[in-house]
Amino acid sequence: MAKLLVKLQRYFRRKPVRFFTLLALYLAAGSLVFLHSGFSGEPTVPGSQRGPGEGPGLPYLGVMQLSRGFKAAVAMPEGGRRHGPWFKSTSKEPVERGKAGDYGSTRSRVLRGRSGREKEEDRARYIGCYVDNTRRRTLRGVSFFDYKKMTVFRCQDNCAERGYLYAGLEFGAECYCGHKIQASNASESECNMECKGERSNTCGGVNRLSIYRLELAQESARRYGSAVFRGCFRRPDNISIALPVSQVMLNMSVDKCVDFCTEKEYPLSALAGTTCHCGFPTTLFTLHEREDEQLCAQKCAGEEFESCGTTEYLLVYQTQVQDNRCMDRRFLPTRAKQLVALASFPGAGNTWARHLIELATGFYTGSYYFDGSLYNKGFKGERDHWRSGRTICIKTHESGQKEIESFDSAILLIRNPYKALMAEFNRKYGGHIGFAAHAHWNGKEWPEFVANYAPWWATHTLDWLRYGKKVLVVHFEDLKRDLFVQLQRMVGLLGIAACEDRLLCVEGQKDGNFKRSGLRKLEYDPYTPEMRKMISGYIKTVDTALKLRNLSGVPDDYYPR
């Protein structure tokens, strides 16, 4: 054996090219064996023994935890389209794709993609590319955008969770939900944009929707969807105009009326005894003057534990249908002659105010800064330079004289400092809709933050009152309490004629995508007596400054409990 090794060594010294050739072949063979072992067999899903096709329960989410190797194996080739991780076929397609010649034919890949779409057991079925119109949407339910992380699964999951029948993706980053498709087909080649969050999938195109039917969307969510109770209201004078669609239901229940109005694509469902009315909030039916709920307390004929209103007093619910009358937005058609600031201390609700202004005016808002997360969520004016003149107003937290005097007018948004400081602390350590960890609240970060930021809360307002030109003061609390009136004031300063129906539409879409959940509120007061004493002094200073300018002082709830 030793003599054989010596002979091989001498041979390869004389023939080094042959040695390296054999070495390369050996490594290539090892790589093929490794790849084959990575793609063969069924993947295991941690924490779940139930397969995706078993039973009629909730959408299967286990595939999200699979190994990277398997995800690469099941990714559809160029000609096909996956349906997202929770729509797994029961076929052995990943194994079959490893066969010789499987990747050689574009036609075979397209056919395999089509057959995968049409399998009845799929949880969602791709039904085609459709025309969309920004003025009149093809899918008129809720919508959301993410210009960085949008995926087919994320869109399908969000629409299914809300009980919609269809999910559509557009422009690589926009997701639309709906119960009906109200447009014509387009050529498949026009849905040609990759998803921002997964390059292997297609997410529509320019004014083109890749639409999926959610075959097994949660039936309970679709039928008993989370309709929002709006209250008891007096019957409008001309109900056939105010609420144009109606249906007599002898076996009336809240669910039946909500389902009927949802199917008819209306955001309001109004119960009047045995009649169900559907419509939009308009000047004829504003939903501003609520009545005592006892006036609507007549039992439903089809559900004895529910109230269904009367012929004179309507019980109103907001359905899952999105009111699209205020959803169109664009840049200003001509360069703005004046720069209007939307000024606030951080944490005072500036992002929420921008959302309201964009819906109310139909124009994008800009920013003194650039926040990629806001741009990815649909604030397209975020990327423009603040002096571009293409946006209706500019967000700013600046408080220096030079910066303030750069603007021709301003909306100054003021919020209770106790709430504003906590909101900014959460944003700093948890993101726009996240929360700071308990370690941050209990550590040195919170006392240092209050010591640095509380004085700024006061100086910010004082500086804008002193150096600002044509400043409109809006209290965050007043905006929440009386959105219609306060938004009218804000839009008026921007020089836009406020359309009342559009403002009523905004009221129904007021929360937007940047509202923190109330589920993780602190269970204790993080402010020490020393902090409250300091902040109380700043509140009094701001209150005095406002009153010296003949403005109403700060709301009473600004002072400590």
Side-chain angles (χ1 to χ4, degrees), residues 345-396:
F345 174 78
N350 200 303
T351 301
W352 179 54
R354 289 178 68 185
H355 165 75
L356 297 176
I357 289 171
E358 289 194 0
L359 295 188
T361 64
F363 296 113
Y364 290 119
T365 58
S367 177
Y368 196 81
Y369 323 97
F370 171 69
D371 188 330
S373 66
L374 291 181
Y375 178 82
N376 291 332
K377 296 295 183 183
F379 287 93
K380 293 185 179 179
E382 191 77 14
R383 183 173 283 182
D384 269 37
H385 188 274
W386 66 280
R387 285 186 177 274
S388 71
R390 297 206 306 159
T391 53
I392 193 69
C393 64
I394 297 99
K395 162 190 173 175
T396 180

Side-chain angles (χ1 to χ4, degrees), residues 135-412:
R135 296 290 182 183
R136 191 168 179 80
R137 290 293 180 187
T138 299
L139 296 175
R140 299 175 189 172
V142 300
S143 61
F144 72 97
F145 310 140
D146 193 330
Y147 290 92
K148 189 174 182 181
K149 298 180 181 178
M150 180 62 73
T151 64
V152 171
F153 166 68
R154 186 179 177 198
C155 180
Q156 292 169 341
D157 188 48
N158 273 273
C159 294
E161 185 182 59
R162 291 163 173 78
Y164 287 101
L165 291 173
Y166 299 99
L169 296 109
E170 182 174 331
F171 204 64
E174 302 174 1
C175 176
Y176 298 89
C177 311
H179 292 288
K180 288 182 179 181
I181 300 174
Q182 304 187 57
S184 58
N185 283 92
S187 169
E188 284 297 315
S189 62
E190 295 178 33
C191 285
N192 53 13
M193 297 188 72
E194 295 178 335
C195 301
K196 296 295 185 183
E198 51 179 353
R199 301 291 182 182
S200 58
N201 269 349
T202 302
C203 284
V206 178
N207 290 330
R208 295 294 182 267
L209 280 169
S210 297
I211 297 184
Y212 295 81
R213 179 180 172 86
L214 307 178
E215 300 290 354
L216 295 181
Q218 301 174 33
E219 288 293 334
S220 59
R222 182 161 68 244
R223 189 176 178 188
Y224 309 106
S226 54
V228 178
F229 177 68
R230 297 295 299 269
C232 178
F233 300 90
R234 185 184 293 274
R235 173 191 175 104
D237 292 335
N238 197 334
I239 194 167
S240 62
I241 297 177
L243 300 169
V245 175
S246 62
Q247 177 75 42
V248 175
M249 298 179 178
L250 299 179
N251 201 24
M252 172 73 84
S253 69
V254 173
D255 293 325
K256 288 180 180 178
C257 187
V258 168
D259 288 346
F260 173 73
C261 294
T262 299
E263 182 182 342
K264 296 295 183 183
E265 299 282 349
Y266 283 99
L268 291 186
S269 170
L271 292 82
T274 57
T275 304
C276 174
H277 300 280
C278 312
F280 295 93
T282 65
T283 52
L284 297 175
F285 195 50
T286 62
L287 303 184
H288 287 165
E289 298 179 6
R290 294 180 62 162
E291 303 286 349
D292 187 337
E293 288 180 26
Q294 291 300 315
L295 297 172
C296 292
Q298 179 175 299
K299 289 184 179 180
C300 296
E303 180 55 68
E304 62 176 326
F305 299 108
E306 294 178 351
S307 297
C308 278
T310 69
T311 55
E312 292 301 320
Y313 292 94
L314 312 182
L315 208 56
V316 178
Y317 289 84
Q318 186 168 322
T319 72
Q320 297 175 11
V321 176
Q322 183 167 276
D323 188 345
N324 286 317
R325 295 175 300 167
C326 57
M327 297 306 293
D328 60 300
R329 287 167 291 174
R330 57 195 174 100
F331 289 104
L332 292 173
T334 57
R335 183 183 174 90
K337 296 179 180 179
Q338 292 192 330
L339 293 176
V340 183
L342 178 60
S344 74
F345 174 78
N350 200 303
T351 301
W352 179 54
R354 289 178 68 185
H355 165 75
L356 297 176
I357 289 171
E358 289 194 0
L359 295 188
T361 64
F363 296 113
Y364 290 119
T365 58
S367 177
Y368 196 81
Y369 323 97
F370 171 69
D371 188 330
S373 66
L374 291 181
Y375 178 82
N376 291 332
K377 296 295 183 183
F379 287 93
K380 293 185 179 179
E382 191 77 14
R383 183 173 283 182
D384 269 37
H385 188 274
W386 66 280
R387 285 186 177 274
S388 71
R390 297 206 306 159
T391 53
I392 193 69
C393 64
I394 297 99
K395 162 190 173 175
T396 180
H397 299 310
E398 300 301 309
S399 56
Q401 179 180 354
K402 181 180 178 182
E403 289 78 8
I404 292 173
E405 290 178 346
S406 300
F407 295 94
D408 300 295
S409 58
I411 297 170
L412 177 59

